Amino acid sequence: MHYETKILHEGGDKDPYTGALSIPIYPASTYHQKNVDVRQEFDYSRSGNPTRAALERTLAVLENGSHGYAFSSGVAAITAAITAVCSAGDHIVATRDCYGGTYRLLTKYLSRLGITHTFVDTTDIAATEHAITSATKVLFLESPSNPLLRIIDFTAMTALAKKHSLITMLDNTFLSPYLFRPLDIGVDVSIHSATKFLGGHSDLIAGAVVTKNGEIAAQIYAVQNGTGNMLSPENSWLLLRGIKTLRARMEMQCAGAMELATWLSKQSWVTKVYYPGLADHPGHETIRREAKGFGAVVSFTADTIERTRAILQHVRIWTVAVSLGGVESILSYPAKMSHAAMPKDERDALGISDTLIRLSIGLEHTEDLIDDLKSSAEIKS
Ligand SMILES: *Cc1c(COP(=O)(O)O)cnc(C)c1O
């Protein structure tokens, strides 16, 4: 069976109890135990719920894994994956330009529990190897990175992890499993903010973790059940519904992103475009080799701060907001949104300037998105 068919028909396509084509929402907290001597599949909904179980089977199919777990947010998923395998004294090597919430989790919370970290430019293999110590347990990767869409050489990174017996985790939110399946190339744990492309409709917060390592899977389940950070049946249903159109959305949103990036690169007021689909992007060849597409997020810098402000103020179709991956296009301003907590000199060092804008392309007609950007950019304040 092809992947596109599998993601609709393996995992969560029909309710095993009624045949319903849409998996019902089972809100039950508890389940009648017919015979207390026989363990049944469901006994309490923190430990297991039929709606969440259907979603979790689907997540495993999406990532070509054997075990999927659904969490109350992407950050909860990252926390569960890391704490499933790390204890006090363990060390993590992580992508320097990782998601802000991952940065906060490592620096403010896990460090307090004795789990230490080193941030490194994971596009630099030698620097990454240099950061590994005898205490290193996990290589935590994120790519394409946010907001500059830097691409890691995934194959080189998994080889490096194998050499040092590290567990590799990859935050695969930006590409989605439709475009890239990290477990296929030897990553141990794939993680998502399902809030973004998996959900796809800007209407829920959710997270996912998938692995095909049975031992790690058991540890992740122990954290999910033991700390109670699982996804609700209602949101599990909503996420299952969103995933059904993942293929269609990703195909169209990627096509729109390519059109937009190409158009931006020809505008005199645009000083730089960051999109791995463009041939001059340093990660272009890598992502072309490893993934089915380049994603639907494009960043660019404008020539002046005034023009950046004009765009932020005057766009009408683009929603000025944080987040990404929905069917409505979103325009974000990293300097005041995702990276506002970072001091300006550190932002500048990473290349996150005050004229940088990040776009998440949705399903509107590309011409309307372009016209909106173009006319906003031309308004003089
Ligand atoms: C949004 C995001 C997260 C966090 O997910 P939440 O669902 O907001 O908790 C993690 N990683 C990446 C790359 C993200 O974009």
Side-chain angles (χ1 to χ4, degrees):
M1 224 191 272
H2 289 90
Y3 179 76
E4 291 78 358
T5 311
K6 258 181 20 179
I7 61 176
L8 286 173
H9 292 289
E10 281 184 11
D13 77 328
K14 288 178 200 71
D15 178 38
Y17 314 105
T18 64
L21 192 52
S22 165
I23 300 284
I25 299 170
Y26 287 90
S29 58
T30 193
Y31 304 81
H32 176 216
Q33 300 192 23
K34 298 182 192 89
N35 178 347
V36 292
D37 293 322
V38 178
R39 226 193 142 271
Q40 43 185 68
E41 190 181 358
F42 301 107
D43 59 15
Y44 188 62
S45 272
R46 172 166 31 74
S47 314
N49 170 278
T51 317
R52 193 175 89 230
L55 168 64
E56 292 180 331
R57 287 194 300 271
T58 302
L59 292 171
V61 172
L62 276 165
E63 284 279 3
N64 283 341
S66 55
H67 297 77
Y69 299 95
F71 293 92
S72 57
S73 72
V75 166
I78 296 166
T79 308
I82 292 177
T83 55
V85 300
C86 287
S87 305
D90 290 335
H91 174 252
I92 298 169
V93 172
T95 298
R96 186 182 61 177
D97 44 349
C98 63
Y99 175 71
T102 306
Y103 181 86
R104 188 167 51 220
L105 173 71
L106 289 169
T107 56
K108 301 266 194 281
Y109 182 59
L110 295 179
S111 56
R112 201 155 57 70
L113 304 186
I115 300 168
T116 58
H117 59 270
T118 302
F119 289 114
V120 63
D121 176 359
T122 46
T123 65
D124 182 338
I125 297 163
T128 306
E129 182 156 33
H130 188 71
I132 296 169
T133 72
S134 58
T136 308
K137 186 87 178 270
V138 167
L139 180 58
F140 191 97
L141 305 169
E142 185 178 324
S143 188
S145 70
N146 178 27
L148 297 177
L149 306 164
R150 286 149 51 85
I151 303 296
I152 288 169
D153 186 335
F154 304 105
T155 308
M157 278 295 139
T158 51
L160 182 66
K162 290 275 169 309
K163 180 175 158 196
H164 293 273
S165 307
L166 308 181
I167 296 168
T168 36
M169 300 188 176
L170 176 72
D171 183 332
N172 193 27
T173 301
F174 269 48
L175 286 181
S176 91
Y178 180 68
L179 299 179
F180 181 52
R181 294 181 283 282
L183 305 186
D184 288 355
I185 58 150
V187 169
D188 297 299
V189 181
S190 182
I191 305 173
H192 289 273
S193 167
T195 310
K196 316 294 167 52
F197 290 102
L198 287 178
H201 295 75
S202 304
D203 55 8
L204 95 154
I205 301 279
V209 178
V210 182
T211 183
K212 55 182 177 187
N213 178 316
E215 197 183 327
I216 294 175
Q219 288 165 277
I220 293 168
Y221 177 71
V223 175
Q224 187 194 46
N225 189 38
T227 66
N229 52 4
M230 69 292 165
L231 193 63
S232 72
E234 291 79 7
N235 277 339
S236 295
W237 178 84
L238 197 52
L239 183 50
L240 268 171
R241 181 176 156 108
I243 288 169
K244 291 183 191 212
T245 55
L246 178 67
R247 174 192 180 192
R249 287 185 285 108
M250 288 315 292
E251 289 284 358
M252 298 231 38
Q253 291 176 245
C254 288
M258 185 57 122
E259 254 184 87
L260 230 108
T262 308
W263 176 79
L264 281 167
S265 63
K266 292 179 188 147
Q267 304 312 302
S268 58
W269 52 271
V270 174
T271 47
K272 191 158 174 54
V273 182
Y274 301 87
Y275 184 61
L278 297 178
D280 64 354
H281 187 286
H284 179 70
E285 284 309 320
T286 306
I287 191 167
R288 219 167 63 135
R289 189 177 64 231
E290 315 243 18
K292 190 182 156 77
F294 307 107
V297 180
V298 177
S299 294
F300 70 94
T301 47
D303 53 354
T304 63
I305 188 76
E306 290 73 26
R307 193 177 316 269
T308 312
R309 290 283 169 172
I311 294 170
L312 286 166
Q313 257 168 42
H314 298 295
V315 282
R316 296 175 53 195
I317 295 172
W318 296 86
T319 302
V320 178
V322 297
S323 200
L324 57 116
V327 295
E328 292 93 0
S329 292
I330 288 181
L331 185 150
S332 320
Y333 186 46
K336 293 274 170 171
M337 294 178 179
S338 54
H339 293 71
M342 194 179 270
K344 183 169 162 39
D345 51 339
E346 210 170 308
R347 265 193 279 124
D348 287 340
L350 281 177
I352 304 166
S353 79
D354 286 346
T355 62
L356 182 76
I357 286 177
R358 190 191 76 192
L359 308 173
S360 167
I361 286 78
L363 291 178
E364 299 90 345
H365 199 294
T366 319
E367 273 174 25
D368 296 328
L369 294 174
I370 287 177
D371 286 348
D372 195 27
L373 271 184
K374 185 169 186 284
S375 54
S376 310
E378 284 165 0
I379 294 175
K380 299 260 185 315
S381 51

